């Protein structure tokens, strides 16, 4: 059976089959006509008709098989195209999708992959906790029940900070870049997460009415958070400047070298050592986020704390939804 691509027109095959059948019939009829005996003519004529019927049935079955094969190829092509699009969207959203050929070949790659998978599971479990808290708040659950759920969610945030701390030891740049987040989330990231002062602004606008004392406490907390954020940002800028100066310096490379990493191994070692401090910056940023969340629990009432956790979760959900809309936007 000849191979047929999805775009192959089968009309040519049909014409060829008919031509072959007519040619064969003509040959048989010619043989019949050359026979002088009526008995032989009748016998050959019946044989020709049977042969023609068999050829037509064989051609019909062949066309059906070819049509089914072409349809199977087309369906497979469409499924493959859909899978490729889904895979592309997932990768654009920052989700690591391993393929059979993906074999992590270093501790860094193993650590990043493990963190991506652990964080995805953490996100699913966290969403379940948030949904339970939302349902309890809407059902006017008691403060004791709400406090128990709030404490559970706060403990789960601590688990997220632990996962990030382990990931930062393996690959600080992976956590810093936010490749485990969606594109829009990465746009709003600060040192591997939300900026604490922005969280405070978000909560202040969603928790009204607040008492004067609560407003004053939140404002003071916001001021101290912004100062701590600026200190960390200055520290990273100083680190970037130091690494840039190290790489630009030629004093560590031997005379006559080409300037590549092998020739400047001492220079590279100094730069790598400086970059190692990124892990501590990520740790300090998460410590600041954790302190802000904990202090907010002391400032707010139980029900306000519940609403605060819902507001944070809803904000992140909107960022992820916005990322999906951005990826799916129509393009000219």
């Amino acid at each position: 059976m000849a191979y047929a691509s999805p775009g192959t027109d089968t009309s040519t095959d049909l014409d060829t089959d008919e031509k072959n059948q007519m040619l064969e019939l003509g040959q048989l009829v010619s043989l019949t006509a050359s026979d002088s005996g009526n008995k032989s003519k009748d016998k050959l004529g019946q044989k020709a008709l049977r042969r023609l019927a068999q050829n037509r049935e064989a051609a019909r079955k062949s066309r059906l098989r070819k049509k089914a094969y072409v349809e199977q190829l087309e369906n497979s092509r469409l499924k493959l195209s859909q899978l490729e699009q889904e895979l592309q969207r997932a990768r654009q959203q920052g989700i690591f999708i391993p393929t059979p050929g993906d074999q992590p070949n270093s501790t860094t790659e193993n650590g990043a992959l493990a963190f991506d998978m652990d964080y995805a599971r953490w996100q699913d479990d966290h969403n379940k906790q948030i949904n339970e808290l939302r349902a309890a708040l809407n059902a006017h659950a008691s403060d004791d029940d709400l406090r128990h759920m709030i404490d559970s969610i706060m403990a789960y945030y601590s688990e997220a900070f632990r996962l990030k701390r382990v990931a930062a030891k393996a690959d600080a740049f992976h956590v810093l870049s936010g490749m485990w987040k969606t594109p829009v989330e990465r746009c709003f990231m600060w040192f591997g997460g939300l900026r604490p002062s922005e969280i405070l602004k978000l909560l202040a606008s969603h928790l009204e009415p607040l008492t004067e004392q609560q407003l004053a406490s939140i404002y003071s907390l916001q001021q101290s958070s912004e100062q701590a954020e600026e200190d960390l940002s200055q520290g990273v800028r100083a680190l970037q400047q130091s690494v840039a100066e190290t790489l630009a310096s030629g004093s560590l490379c031997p005379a006559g070298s080409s300037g590549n990493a092998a020739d400047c191994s001492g220079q590279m070692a100094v730069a790598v050592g400086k970059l190692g401090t990124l892990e501590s910056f990520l740790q300090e940023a998460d410590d600041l986020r954790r302190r802000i969340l904990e202090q907010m629990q002391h400032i707010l009432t139980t029900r306000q704390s519940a609403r605060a956790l819902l507001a944070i979760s809803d904000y992140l959900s909107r960022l992820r939804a916005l990322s999906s809309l951005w990826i799916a936007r129509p393009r000219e």
Side-chain angles (χ1 to χ4, degrees):
M1 181 177 65
Y3 169 78
S5 67
T8 301
D9 188 354
T10 59
S11 61
T12 302
D13 295 332
L14 296 178
D15 294 342
T16 302
D17 291 339
E18 294 294 342
K19 290 178 180 179
N20 291 336
Q21 292 173 20
M22 295 300 296
L23 179 61
E24 183 177 4
L25 179 60
Q27 292 174 347
L28 291 173
V29 171
S30 177
L31 290 174
T32 303
S34 63
D35 197 295
S36 59
N38 294 331
K39 185 176 181 180
S40 298
K41 290 180 181 180
D42 293 339
K43 185 176 180 180
L44 288 174
Q46 293 174 0
K47 183 177 180 181
L49 292 175
R50 286 196 302 270
R51 183 66 178 273
L52 180 59
Q54 291 174 353
N55 287 346
R56 285 177 174 174
E57 180 64 18
R60 186 183 69 83
K61 292 181 178 179
S62 176
R63 289 194 296 270
L64 290 176
R65 287 194 299 268
K66 186 179 296 184
K67 182 179 179 181
Y69 180 64
V70 170
E71 290 178 350
Q72 182 181 6
L73 287 178
E74 180 64 18
N75 291 336
S76 298
R77 185 186 67 81
L78 291 176
K79 289 180 180 179
L80 179 60
S81 178
Q82 291 174 355
L83 289 174
E84 290 176 345
Q85 291 176 2
E86 293 176 0
L87 179 61
Q88 181 65 20
R89 284 196 298 267
R91 292 191 183 278
Q92 288 175 340
Q93 291 176 2
I95 304 174
F96 180 82
I97 307 295
T99 62
D102 289 335
Q103 297 294 333
N105 53 14
S106 70
T107 302
T108 296
E109 292 176 352
N110 279 318
L113 175 58
F115 172 70
D116 289 350
M117 298 174 65
D118 288 339
Y119 183 80
R121 285 191 292 267
W122 180 91
Q123 187 68 62
D124 290 339
D125 293 338
H126 175 66
N127 289 338
K128 293 177 182 177
Q129 290 181 322
I130 289 296
N131 291 335
E132 292 174 357
L133 178 62
R134 193 188 309 275
L137 193 62
N138 292 335
H140 305 288
S142 66
D143 284 359
D144 289 340
D145 291 339
L146 290 177
R147 174 52 57 185
H148 178 73
M149 301 177 74
I150 291 171
D151 291 342
S152 177
I153 293 176
M154 291 298 296
Y156 213 59
Y157 270 119
S158 297
E159 173 62 13
F161 295 141
R162 185 194 68 81
L163 292 175
K164 290 169 66 177
R165 182 168 61 251
V166 173
K169 289 182 179 296
D171 185 1
F173 285 102
H174 184 73
V175 178
L176 185 65
S177 65
M179 293 306 296
W180 39 283
K181 292 279 192 178
T182 61
V184 175
E185 284 182 293
R186 292 199 293 270
C187 182
F188 289 88
M189 282 185 67
W190 174 82
F191 287 94
L194 286 178
R195 189 181 289 270
S197 59
E198 292 299 324
I199 296 177
L200 292 171
K201 292 179 183 178
L202 169 70
L203 298 182
S205 63
H206 281 76
L207 300 179
E208 297 178 351
L210 295 170
T211 66
E212 292 295 330
Q213 183 177 357
Q214 286 177 322
L215 288 172
S217 299
I218 292 176
Y219 178 76
S220 176
L221 189 59
Q222 183 176 339
Q223 293 295 107
S224 62
S225 177
E226 290 177 349
Q227 183 59 53
E229 293 167 16
E230 180 59 27
D231 292 342
L232 282 175
S233 298
Q234 287 183 359
V236 171
R237 286 194 293 268
L239 172 63
Q240 293 172 333
Q241 182 65 28
S242 178
V243 172
E245 292 174 354
T246 300
L247 296 179
S249 173
S251 59
L252 296 178
C253 292
S257 67
S258 61
N260 58 33
D263 294 331
C264 306
S265 57
Q267 187 178 5
M268 292 296 105
V270 172
V272 169
K274 292 181 178 181
L275 288 177
T277 58
L278 276 176
E279 180 185 338
S280 63
F281 284 111
L282 290 171
Q283 180 63 48
E284 291 183 47
D286 274 348
D287 287 343
L288 178 60
R289 276 185 279 266
R290 183 175 54 251
R291 290 196 306 271
I292 294 299
L293 288 173
E294 291 174 349
Q295 292 180 42
M296 284 297 297
Q297 301 302 312
H298 296 296
I299 296 173
L300 303 175
T301 65
T302 299
R303 293 189 177 276
Q304 286 174 335
S305 296
R307 289 164 54 195
L309 292 175
L310 294 180
I312 295 173
S313 177
D314 289 346
Y315 178 72
L316 292 173
S317 295
R318 292 188 185 105
L319 288 179
R320 290 190 291 270
L322 180 59
S323 186
S324 298
L325 292 174
W326 169 256
I327 293 172
R329 73 191 186 282
R331 297 174 176 83
E332 295 182 358

